[in-house]
Amino acid sequence: MNTRKKIETTATTTPPLQNKDVSSAARDEVLKRVEKDYEEFKETHTFKFPTWLYGPPKGKLIKIEVEDCPRFGDTAYVEFDSARTAFLSIDMQVDFCGPKGYVDVMGYDLGLTSAPIKPIMHVLDAIRKGTDVKVIHTREGHLPDLSDAPYNKILRSKIIGDGVGIGDVPQGGMGRLLVRGEKNWDIIDDLYPVPGEYVVDKAGKGGFGQSNLPLILKNLGITHLIITGITTDVCVHTIMREANDNGYWCTLLKDGTGATDYGNYQAAIKQIKMQGGVFGWVSDSGKLVKGLKSAFNSETPSK
Amino acid sequence: MNTRKKIETTATTTPPLQNKDVSSAARDEVLKRVEKDYEEFKETHTFKFPTWLYGPPKGKLIKIEVEDCPRFGDTAYVEFDSARTAFLSIDMQVDFCGPKGYVDVMGYDLGLTSAPIKPIMHVLDAIRKGTDVKVIHTREGHLPDLSDAPYNKILRSKIIGDGVGIGDVPQGGMGRLLVRGEKNWDIIDDLYPVPGEYVVDKAGKGGFGQSNLPLILKNLGITHLIITGITTDVCVHTIMREANDNGYWCTLLKDGTGATDYGNYQAAIKQIKMQGGVFGWVSDSGKLVKGLKSAFNSETPSK
């Protein structure tokens, strides 16, 4: 009791710290750093891997060209450390790009959501040839008891599906739509994970609120993300927004993603590039593969 | 030690519970419920307030018309309990719609981001006349020491702002861009909160990862959100996505929101309506005010 009283007395006689007083030194340091990096960017057009922040690279430094960097024409680059980079393949499940899956039942054109399959295969092929880039596959799906599916989500899916929604089996279908463990819920054969890759299950469109993704990224020491998958304007954009808010450097490969509507796909790409890259950067599979091959010298695996 | 050993023995002799075994009863209950509500929806075209889930309404039931509900033409309704509904006014700060603020410095048309001011005023006016709808204002901004601003966010803002980014004071400006406590960071006078309303500060585009918003919504017992603010494709969409993933019933008022690019605004509206309302519903300020007045009988405040 005595101790407590003393603390209270101290608190009332010592004025509380003013944000203004303590914050200026830290702020000035940040602004000095950003000024320096801004000047360097004007010379190099490159968002360099910030070793002052993360330390020296653990893997190889890779530089890829990104689109439309504001105020500097359309040639700019993002540089990343291969060992601190995760390649995300988002929701490449039968339910989103295969026959009798969720998207098919809703009546959308599977041509649009299956378009990114080949570009993603191309990238996976390059990554799997001895690079240390981490590969993370995500799957959207709900527990078999549906307890992690918001009720309004199930109801809306039932309406758009003309009576066949999440948890139902469509006519001629492989299993219950968007339910974990069903064949239609799993990743398509062409892009199936190989040993050493990671699979993250999520109950929402995003990955930071309804899955272990943020923890896994931290545990793996990831700083940069290369993003692909479907659908661009829904799950892909939601994860990219969350990751960007959390400080990850996010680059979307625009041929490695697709939407249920082509206009929405195009808008989703454009939305990323607003405000100087409000959610990150846009590149494509060819540019990434070129960067990987150049860094890993094609036939010379690093380990 | 003995106890521990016994537990281990039990574990190995009792087979683990199979999801399939325990989940079917719960799943069948959900599917039975959704089937019933789907049939009712076909009759009423209304997403009713689910009393079976939340219990009886605490306030008044309000029904507002929403756009383009799939498979039922363009007339559908969302019903909500006034006392469990929060009206969100997102980031209506000088920095996003006023002169010499963040968006102005980036060179965007303030006419687009200030367009929603009057519709939001109109709704606030109706809500403040004795309804029990909760009002929550959000502000995007960073701590004065910038410690909660991802470095790549500051750098990108510096580049798009031609050397003037987050934490800098633009020529003729009111203070440091997007920094808490500065005049440009605060909510514009026309929409300033009144006593009894809530203000939530957030360090990101979204509100669920970088602010107290999810906790506040839970503490207030909110089930439904009416969403307005700026910008549509960035902060508004991110919060709507997060809230939807968390099971909130989200309705965006399309004249109560604006973007830095009109095409992106239109696309953001369309993206919500895909897949049966993948992030919720779209309505407008007139329809909400009509619903409020009808429920609260205009001149007869409830309390």
Side-chain angles (χ1 to χ4, degrees), chain A residues 115-133:
Chain A
I117 296 174
K118 282 198 176 161
I120 298 176
M121 285 174 75
H122 184 47
V123 173
L124 282 177
D125 193 51
I127 289 175
R128 287 167 180 168
K129 283 189 176 139
T131 81
D132 50 5
V133 171

Side-chain angles (χ1 to χ4, degrees), chain A residues 110-164:
Chain A
L110 292 183
L112 289 171
T113 58
S114 61
I117 296 174
K118 282 198 176 161
I120 298 176
M121 285 174 75
H122 184 47
V123 173
L124 282 177
D125 193 51
I127 289 175
R128 287 167 180 168
K129 283 189 176 139
T131 81
D132 50 5
V133 171
K134 310 291 182 297
V135 176
I136 300 175
H137 305 258
T138 70
R139 290 185 293 215
E140 181 181 346
H142 294 286
L143 293 171
D145 62 12
L146 298 178
S147 56
D148 63 353
Y151 185 71
N152 54 27
K153 182 179 182 179
I154 307 177
L155 179 57
R156 283 174 287 173
S157 76
K158 186 109 177 160
I159 293 168
I160 181 69
D162 245 350
V164 182

Side-chain angles (χ1 to χ4, degrees), chain A:
Chain A
M1 283 300 278
N2 242 347
T3 315
R4 192 171 171 187
K5 215 168 192 174
K6 200 174 173 187
I7 288 170
E8 282 172 3
T9 312
T10 311
T12 50
T13 53
T14 310
L17 286 170
Q18 299 287 323
N19 270 341
K20 274 192 180 168
D21 296 333
V22 299
S23 61
S24 60
R27 181 198 67 216
D28 291 347
E29 198 180 325
V30 172
L31 292 181
K32 200 174 138 192
R33 164 63 61 187
V34 85
E35 184 69 38
K36 186 179 164 295
D37 286 358
Y38 169 63
E39 291 302 328
E40 195 175 345
F41 180 85
K42 286 202 287 185
E43 296 293 325
T44 63
H45 295 195
T46 301
F47 290 89
K48 296 194 81 168
F49 179 76
T51 54
W52 65 267
L53 178 58
Y54 302 126
K58 297 194 300 171
K60 290 181 185 292
L61 283 183
I62 299 179
K63 215 167 103 167
I64 60 164
E65 194 185 321
V66 294
E67 287 188 2
D68 293 331
C69 191
R71 305 200 189 279
F72 296 94
D74 56 2
T75 308
Y77 304 87
V78 170
E79 186 184 59
F80 54 88
D81 173 5
S82 59
R84 297 177 192 221
T85 297
F87 175 79
L88 292 187
S89 176
I90 296 172
D91 299 3
M92 294 303 299
Q93 303 158 253
V94 175
D95 265 335
F96 293 108
C97 62
K100 295 288 173 192
Y102 184 51
V103 159
D104 191 24
V105 166
M106 288 190 281
Y108 291 110
D109 176 7
L110 292 183
L112 289 171
T113 58
S114 61
I117 296 174
K118 282 198 176 161
I120 298 176
M121 285 174 75
H122 184 47
V123 173
L124 282 177
D125 193 51
I127 289 175
R128 287 167 180 168
K129 283 189 176 139
T131 81
D132 50 5
V133 171
K134 310 291 182 297
V135 176
I136 300 175
H137 305 258
T138 70
R139 290 185 293 215
E140 181 181 346
H142 294 286
L143 293 171
D145 62 12
L146 298 178
S147 56
D148 63 353
Y151 185 71
N152 54 27
K153 182 179 182 179
I154 307 177
L155 179 57
R156 283 174 287 173
S157 76
K158 186 109 177 160
I159 293 168
I160 181 69
D162 245 350
V164 182
I166 294 167
D168 291 324
V169 183
Q171 211 166 18
M174 286 172 275
R176 296 182 185 278
L177 295 178
L178 229 55
V179 170
R180 295 185 189 180
E182 304 288 340
K183 278 185 182 170
N184 46 287
W185 152 89
D186 209 355
I187 293 165
I188 58 170
D189 290 344
D190 280 343
L191 299 175
Y192 213 77
V194 300
E197 296 179 351
Y198 303 88
V199 181
V200 177
D201 285 313
K202 60 189 180 67
K205 305 303 179 190
F208 279 66
Q210 286 74 35
S211 85
N212 290 328
L213 183 60
L215 191 55
I216 291 166
L217 295 178
K218 272 185 204 160
N219 291 348
L220 294 175
I222 299 300
T223 60
H224 287 60
L225 296 175
I226 306 290
I227 300 175
T228 62
I230 51 181
T231 62
T232 321
D233 54 330
V234 186
C235 295
V236 172
H237 238 259
T238 304
I239 289 176
M240 189 167 186
R241 286 159 185 262
E242 291 171 330
N244 178 66
D245 262 356
N246 279 279
Y248 293 98
W249 306 62
C250 302
T251 301
L252 177 70
L253 304 186
K254 74 174 181 180
D255 58 341
T257 180
T260 51
D261 175 275
Y262 193 68
N264 283 344
Y265 160 80
Q266 288 177 305
I269 300 293
K270 185 179 172 187
Q271 287 165 350
I272 292 168
K273 297 196 256 179
M274 300 302 289
Q275 303 177 29
V278 69
F279 303 127
W281 296 270
V282 175
S283 187
D284 62 49
S285 62
K287 286 171 184 145
L288 175 64
V289 170
K290 191 179 154 195
L292 286 169
K293 285 193 174 165
S294 157
F296 286 92
N297 210 1
S298 200
E299 313 305 315
T300 320
S302 70
K303 51 174 176 175

Side-chain angles (χ1 to χ4, degrees), chain B:
Chain B
M1 283 301 279
N2 242 347
T3 315
R4 195 173 168 187
K5 215 168 191 174
K6 199 174 172 188
I7 288 171
E8 282 172 3
T9 313
T10 311
T12 50
T13 52
T14 311
L17 284 170
Q18 299 287 325
N19 270 339
K20 274 192 180 169
D21 296 332
V22 299
S23 62
S24 61
R27 181 198 67 216
D28 291 348
E29 199 180 323
V30 172
L31 293 180
K32 199 174 139 192
R33 163 63 61 186
V34 85
E35 184 69 38
K36 186 178 164 296
D37 286 357
Y38 169 64
E39 292 300 329
E40 194 174 345
F41 180 85
K42 287 203 286 187
E43 297 291 324
T44 63
H45 295 194
T46 300
F47 290 90
K48 297 194 80 168
F49 180 77
T51 54
W52 65 266
L53 178 58
Y54 301 125
K58 297 194 302 171
K60 290 182 186 292
L61 283 182
I62 297 179
K63 214 167 102 167
I64 60 165
E65 195 183 320
V66 293
E67 288 188 0
D68 295 330
C69 190
R71 305 198 188 281
F72 295 94
D74 57 0
T75 308
Y77 304 88
V78 170
E79 186 183 59
F80 55 88
D81 173 4
S82 58
R84 295 175 193 225
T85 297
F87 175 78
L88 291 189
S89 175
I90 295 172
D91 300 2
M92 294 303 298
Q93 302 158 255
V94 175
D95 265 335
F96 293 108
C97 62
K100 296 287 173 190
Y102 184 50
V103 160
D104 192 22
V105 166
M106 286 188 283
Y108 291 111
D109 176 7
L110 292 182
L112 289 170
T113 58
S114 60
I117 297 174
K118 282 198 176 161
I120 298 175
M121 285 174 75
H122 184 47
V123 172
L124 282 177
D125 193 52
I127 289 175
R128 287 167 179 169
K129 282 188 175 138
T131 80
D132 50 5
V133 172
K134 309 293 182 293
V135 176
I136 301 175
H137 305 258
T138 70
R139 289 184 294 214
E140 180 180 349
H142 293 286
L143 293 172
D145 63 12
L146 299 178
S147 56
D148 62 353
Y151 185 70
N152 54 26
K153 182 180 182 180
I154 306 177
L155 179 58
R156 283 173 287 173
S157 76
K158 186 107 176 161
I159 293 167
I160 181 70
D162 244 350
V164 183
I166 293 168
D168 291 322
V169 183
Q171 212 168 18
M174 286 172 276
R176 296 181 185 278
L177 295 178
L178 229 56
V179 169
R180 295 185 189 180
E182 304 288 341
K183 277 185 182 169
N184 46 288
W185 152 88
D186 209 357
I187 293 166
I188 58 170
D189 289 345
D190 279 345
L191 299 176
Y192 214 76
V194 300
E197 296 179 352
Y198 303 88
V199 181
V200 177
D201 286 314
K202 62 190 178 67
K205 305 303 180 190
F208 280 65
Q210 287 73 34
S211 86
N212 290 327
L213 183 60
L215 191 55
I216 291 166
L217 295 178
K218 271 185 203 160
N219 291 349
L220 294 174
I222 299 300
T223 58
H224 286 59
L225 297 175
I226 306 290
I227 300 175
T228 62
I230 51 182
T231 62
T232 320
D233 53 330
V234 186
C235 295
V236 172
H237 238 257
T238 304
I239 291 176
M240 189 167 185
R241 287 159 186 261
E242 291 170 330
N244 178 67
D245 262 356
N246 278 279
Y248 293 97
W249 305 63
C250 302
T251 301
L252 177 69
L253 304 186
K254 73 174 182 181
D255 57 343
T257 181
T260 52
D261 176 276
Y262 193 67
N264 283 345
Y265 160 82
Q266 288 177 305
I269 300 294
K270 185 179 172 188
Q271 286 165 349
I272 292 166
K273 297 195 255 179
M274 300 301 289
Q275 302 177 29
V278 68
F279 304 127
W281 297 269
V282 175
S283 187
D284 63 47
S285 62
K287 284 170 184 146
L288 175 63
V289 169
K290 189 180 157 195
L292 286 169
K293 285 193 174 164
S294 156
F296 286 92
N297 211 0
S298 200
E299 313 304 316
T300 321
S302 71
K303 50 172 172 175

